Amino acid sequence: MKPRDLSDHVAYEAGRGIEEVARELGRDPSEFVKLASNENPHGPSPAAAVAIRETASSVSSYPKAAHADLTAAVAERWAVDDEQVWLANGGDGAIDYLHRAALEPDDTILVPDPGFAYYGMSARFHHGDVREYALEREADFEQTADTVLESYDGDRIVWVTSPHNPSGSTMALEEINRLADETDEETLVVVDEAYGEFADGESALSLTEGRNGFDARDDIAVLRTFSKAYGLAGVRLGYAVVPDAWADAYARVNTPFAASELACRAGLAAIGDDEHVERTVETSLESRKTMREEIDAHVWESEGNFVLVDVGDATAVAEEMQARGVIVRDCSSFGLPGCIRITCGTDDETGRAVETLNAVLDDLA
Ligand code: PMP
């Protein structure tokens, strides 16, 4: 017996870790910095690290209480009902739950191109088909309601990534509101705010909850993660905040105990540590500014904890940077050839990335 025919399903290409790269090149891991996966340069919140250690003795129990506590803390953070919070195994898990709850065979989702690959992978596993709207490089990946509506055709879920990975562009709340207005009643607009903490504007939850002058609405959901600003990518924790009418579906679609005891306890500690998030955001904004000012190539304006750089032969540049100890992301896997994405790091990491990239661009010219 073999697996079924999975040739239509592409594998997720995760950025490679330092250990893996060092082993392959026969070098010492200490020679490398990794700025390829938009992770937190300061690591996890110290409070979360303590919580993880303290949870060790209780991991023999199922995470029911921790799950409820974290759900309540997230709900309080956004002033929504507990039932609207769908905890999951990373933002990726929340993407799965939304597709499980939304998609019937042959329903479609509409996703940005270039964009985050997992939306499409997940939809295909949940009986859906994938359609794309173009974010134009020549228009600096500008996101308006019209950019999406040009390609919209009654799709069940419309994904908006704001800030967008890999470009860092955002969609203004007024535009998201108009997009939801112009799509059918059967369509849910999901705003993926995985990088929301690094952006200037308010969360799209302002729209759903009717804050900041908007009327409340029931056709937008928001996705968030603990992987970036909270520094917990390794524990796998994220969530969706869904409209009231979707609340009941969670119990029917989630994997039992959707987030682990370790993840929930770490998340609870992290969500109470504003100082760590503020420090992280400050470092990332500083790094973003330095990279935009000092890299000798076009760097797009970004609201995420990363920048997209137009380097020409991205594969050659990324490989050469890696050989010189700086691991960055070649964006060919996003359907965006010619560009690399560099994660915002500490001052030292940023300095090394800028210096290395400029030297590589010079040498390859
Ligand atoms: N959305 C976007 C746009 C992302 O870039 C990522 C992570 N790369 C995710 C969601 C999911 O992140 P996680 O599963 O680590 O929460």
Side-chain angles (χ1 to χ4, degrees), residues 28 36 42 50-52 59 83 98 113 133 160 172 190 231 243 251 269 272 284 300 303 306 317 322 329 342 346 363:
D28 194 275
H42 296 308
V50 170
I52 289 171
V59 291
E83 291 70 28
L98 288 164
D113 172 35
Y133 59 92
V160 172
V190 187
S284 297
W300 277 274
E303 298 237 4
F306 52 85
V317 169
Q322 182 173 288
R329 192 75 187 254
I342 310 178
T346 59
D363 292 348

Side-chain angles (χ1 to χ4, degrees), residues 12 90-92 95 116 119 161 165 192 194-195 223 225 227-228 236-237:
Y12 183 71
D92 296 333
I95 292 168
F116 182 49
Y119 306 138
T161 319
N165 180 10
D192 180 345
Y195 303 97
L223 188 96
T225 180
S227 294
K228 312 296 176 186
R236 312 303 303 128
L237 183 65

